[in-house]
Amino acid sequence: MQLSRSNDNESLVDVKKYDHFFISLSRGCPANCDFCYNARMWGRNGNPFVRAYSIKKAIQFFKDLTEKYKIKVFTIGDDNFITFNNRCIKICEYLAGKNVHFLCFGRADQI
């Protein structure tokens, strides 16, 4: 499965066996909630930090999965997919045009 143009090893996963795909497009969170692991796990020096694929790269992942492997159901596993509004909207618009179903997560105060 080649989801990027790097040295990915297509033999690691037989994507054609699955009809549902879990994908992570980012790590971390811009908040620093006491109850949450994100700042401690993904942060820098205990401070919140977010790393995310660009809109272009995220759309390329979905393009490869929908066109090459015919995947139609996704779980976007980011803790806060909706945090970056413009990015979220662009990716959702692309997915809407592909007639796929997906589940994503976000903070209630960002809806």
Side-chain angles (χ1 to χ4, degrees):
M1 169 181 75
Q2 186 171 352
L3 294 180
S4 69
R5 304 304 171 233
S6 65
N7 294 327
D8 291 333
N9 187 340
E10 291 189 26
S11 67
L12 293 176
V13 177
D14 185 5
V15 176
K16 294 176 184 171
K17 288 174 42 177
Y18 303 96
D19 60 357
H20 183 152
F21 204 83
F22 183 94
I23 188 167
S24 289
L25 302 172
S26 70
R27 290 186 214 165
C29 176
N32 196 11
C33 302
D34 289 336
F35 60 84
C36 186
Y37 73 94
N38 259 307
R40 288 179 293 283
M41 179 84 166
W42 304 115
R44 288 189 175 170
N45 300 320
N47 296 310
F49 188 73
V50 177
R51 297 163 199 76
Y53 285 116
S54 68
I55 295 169
K56 182 179 177 183
K57 181 125 179 160
I59 287 174
Q60 185 62 51
F61 285 151
F62 287 113
K63 182 176 182 184
D64 289 346
L65 291 167
T66 58
E67 293 178 7
K68 185 174 180 182
Y69 298 105
K70 310 300 184 215
I71 304 291
K72 295 289 185 188
V73 181
F74 296 94
T75 295
I76 300 172
D78 305 27
D79 289 319
N80 293 291
F81 177 66
I82 64 173
T83 297
F84 303 103
N85 195 16
N86 182 52
R87 181 175 175 269
C88 177
I89 289 169
K90 296 278 189 204
I91 293 169
C92 288
E93 286 173 346
Y94 176 81
L95 292 174
K98 290 295 181 183
N99 194 30
V100 300
H101 300 281
F102 67 94
L103 166 75
C104 65
F105 305 97
R107 291 171 52 111
D109 64 346
Q110 294 179 336
I111 295 176

